[in-house]
Amino acid sequence: MKAKFCGFVGLLTMLSASAMAFEFKASSPETSGFDGEKLNEIKVKFDELYLDGRIPNYAVGVYTPDSLVYSAVNGQVGVGSGQAVDLDTVYWLASMTKPIVSTAIMRLIEEGKLSLDDKLSKFFPEFEDMLVAPGGSYDTTLESAKTQITLRHLISHTSGLTYWTTVTGVGDVAEQYDELGVMQCNAEGRQTLDEEVRFLAQLPLIAHPGESWNYSLSTDVLGAIIEQITGKRLGVYLNEIIFQPLNMQDTFFEIPKDRLASTSEIYTTATAAQLATIDVDSDIDWKIIPSPYNGIRNRVPNCDSGGGGLFASVNDFAKYLAMIANGGELNGVRILSEDSMALHLQDQTTKMLPEAFRRGFGDDASSYMKFAAGFGRKMVVNEEDDSESVDYFFWGGAANTFFWVDVENGTIGVFATQLAPSLYNFSNTIEEIVDQAQAK
């Protein structure tokens, strides 16, 4: 009898936990204080790209921290085939992995296990005495790094590390990243994340830590630090502290076989010669072909890339952002304290001039770009007193995904398609549409 009673109590506990699992409430735009006709401009914009054959599909959701306010979808997981996409379709997030890993770092800082001022050499002694190839060039004389890399440098991309040339890599150093295949968790026969980071230390930096902003493998290095501190694989730790507590059931580094049918395929823009070979039975004049990245959907990664390895649905990522918008808590589940969240969103690049961001973001974006601990910050300048305030936090991924979260008015937007390299990042335009739709 006792065993049966305990089993009954356990079942009730499971049912209770399931009942408490967070899901967004369905809401009309008008009920939530939005102009639905204005929001529908979002669908018009993305339908134009889809019907012109430039993106394989799309799913976009606009949320408040507790409700789905607006959604628009079109297309199938494959060009002309497969399931119709929706907000639960799985997409490769690529660099939208970075904010989540940065949140995990902030959690360990809150627990007293890390500090943003910790030196990287504390965890990987190989980084104690680094060389710098200014601008990534081997034609210049290598210099001894003026200071050591810290976690603050890593989380804000001011570490002096770079990326492969296929992303935003700089100079000869980036080309060597390519040749040696550094930090390639999805490559065949790669090593552990710990070994990858130690190998990375053998290559020079492209800038002195803290002196310039360079998009880089820094967040992958943070993932290795998380594994070292927790003794758990990165995906396991993220699942424990973020995905399960927030009911993110469609977020993973390795796509379960039973979810492949509901995972979007990845495409790339076709060249003129390739366009002539496209033969799809469709009313749409497709201008895209399968991307070499498409193979990662079926691959079992040897290590979890904190910089770009996650797959997730629009709805799942919006749950993560709802927690951010809510000051670190969602549906009674607290991921970070309010103080930790404030640090998470604090500018880490105060000394950086617009020139530091121009190469990666262009003239327009660099004029308002700042970077927090894992997020881009779009700033607004008050011309009367020259003061600055944050408009929203944002980021995107290499396969044409993007998001924003406005912690002031509580709006959240997530967009996903699968086109690599990314060509259509309309986060600023879409956020403005939402702002105008919310205006009284």
Side-chain angles (χ1 to χ4, degrees):
M1 177 63 75
K2 183 176 180 181
K4 289 183 178 179
F5 178 76
C6 289
F8 179 70
V9 171
L11 177 60
L12 285 179
T13 301
M14 290 174 61
L15 290 174
S16 176
S18 176
M20 293 174 63
F22 177 80
E23 293 293 348
F24 288 106
K25 295 183 295 185
S27 174
S28 69
E30 286 71 21
T31 300
S32 296
F34 293 83
D35 179 344
E37 186 175 346
K38 182 66 179 179
L39 287 178
N40 213 43
E41 292 180 14
I42 298 172
K43 179 173 175 59
V44 172
K45 191 168 190 65
F46 288 112
D47 273 347
E48 182 179 346
L49 287 174
Y50 173 70
L51 295 174
D52 195 36
R54 297 184 182 279
I55 56 176
N57 54 48
Y58 72 84
V60 58
V62 176
Y63 305 79
T64 62
D66 65 352
S67 301
L68 170 63
V69 172
Y70 174 83
S71 66
V73 300
N74 210 339
Q76 299 163 272
V77 294
V79 165
S81 65
Q83 296 182 12
V85 300
D86 57 28
L87 298 186
D88 294 320
T89 297
V90 175
Y91 290 89
W92 178 39
L93 295 182
S95 284
M96 278 168 54
T97 306
K98 291 178 171 70
I100 292 178
V101 171
S102 299
T103 296
I105 287 289
M106 301 311 296
R107 172 73 167 253
L108 292 172
I109 290 173
E110 181 177 314
E111 293 172 352
K113 297 175 182 177
L114 291 175
S115 165
L116 283 181
D117 294 320
D118 280 342
K119 295 176 180 178
L120 176 55
S121 61
K122 176 179 178 180
F123 312 97
F124 294 96
E126 294 86 347
F127 285 89
E128 185 170 0
D129 297 305
M130 294 295 291
L131 292 175
V132 176
S137 174
Y138 286 151
D139 291 334
T140 60
T141 302
L142 295 181
E143 304 171 0
S144 295
K146 297 176 185 177
T147 186
Q148 289 196 39
I149 300 171
T150 66
L151 268 63
R152 191 182 304 276
H153 295 142
L154 291 169
I155 209 166
S156 62
H157 294 285
T158 59
S159 64
L161 293 169
T162 188
Y163 243 130
W164 315 292
T165 60
T166 52
V167 186
T168 57
V170 176
D172 301 324
V173 174
E175 291 179 5
Q176 197 165 23
Y177 277 27
D178 295 347
E179 293 168 6
L180 299 174
V182 297
M183 302 299 292
Q184 293 276 18
C185 285
N186 281 313
E188 297 292 339
R190 296 308 302 177
Q191 307 167 67
T192 66
L193 191 54
D194 183 272
E195 291 171 319
E196 290 282 7
V197 171
R198 295 182 194 280
F199 181 80
L200 177 64
Q202 299 179 38
L203 303 178
L205 305 175
I206 65 167
H208 293 279
E211 290 194 355
S212 65
W213 193 92
N214 293 285
Y215 202 41
S216 70
L217 291 167
S218 290
T219 315
D220 289 270
V221 176
L222 289 176
I225 292 173
I226 290 172
E227 290 195 344
Q228 190 177 127
I229 293 297
T230 65
K232 299 173 182 177
R233 184 157 169 160
L234 179 60
V236 171
Y237 182 67
L238 295 180
N239 191 59
E240 288 180 3
I241 69 158
I242 298 176
F243 305 154
Q244 287 301 317
L246 297 181
N247 196 32
M248 296 170 66
Q249 299 295 323
D250 297 322
T251 303
F252 17 69
F253 283 101
E254 178 187 345
I255 303 172
K257 291 182 179 179
D258 63 357
R259 293 306 315 274
L260 280 172
S262 56
T263 300
S264 178
E265 297 178 11
I266 306 168
Y267 291 82
T268 191
T269 301
T271 64
Q274 291 167 333
L275 280 174
T277 68
I278 297 176
D279 183 20
V280 178
D281 185 15
S282 172
D283 294 333
I284 295 176
D285 180 17
W286 295 106
K287 300 171 179 64
I288 54 178
I289 58 173
S291 165
Y293 284 115
N294 203 41
I296 68 174
R297 297 164 64 252
N298 299 286
R299 194 166 293 161
V300 179
N302 292 321
C303 55
D304 298 334
S305 168
L310 278 177
F311 294 81
S313 66
V314 167
N315 260 336
D316 260 19
F317 201 84
K319 293 174 184 177
Y320 165 72
L321 295 177
M323 178 274 296
I324 298 293
N326 248 359
E329 178 270 338
L330 185 65
N331 196 37
V333 176
R334 181 156 290 283
I335 306 300
L336 287 177
S337 69
E338 291 185 3
D339 287 345
S340 294
M341 185 54 65
L343 179 60
H344 200 355
L345 302 180
Q346 182 179 311
D347 178 27
Q348 301 296 324
T349 55
T350 303
K351 297 178 181 179
M352 300 286 111
L353 298 173
E355 288 76 14
F357 300 104
R358 186 162 286 126
R359 183 180 58 81
F361 296 95
D363 291 338
D364 180 49
S366 63
S367 67
Y368 57 71
M369 176 75 176
K370 293 288 180 69
F371 205 83
F375 298 88
R377 289 165 47 116
K378 182 180 184 294
M379 309 302 295
V380 176
V381 178
N382 185 328
E383 294 182 0
E384 292 183 5
D385 60 8
D386 204 32
S387 63
E388 284 187 332
S389 60
V390 180
D391 189 355
Y392 57 82
F393 298 89
F394 70 98
W395 209 241
N400 224 145
T401 58
F402 62 73
F403 74 86
W404 87 84
V405 54
D406 187 327
V407 299
E408 292 299 321
N409 67 19
T411 59
I412 294 162
V414 185
F415 166 79
T417 186
Q418 296 284 250
L419 184 72
S422 176
L423 289 178
Y424 308 107
N425 185 344
F426 298 133
S427 56
N428 195 45
T429 302
I430 303 307
E431 194 274 342
E432 287 179 357
I433 291 173
V434 172
D435 264 2
Q436 292 165 9
Q438 194 182 34
K440 302 298 183 182

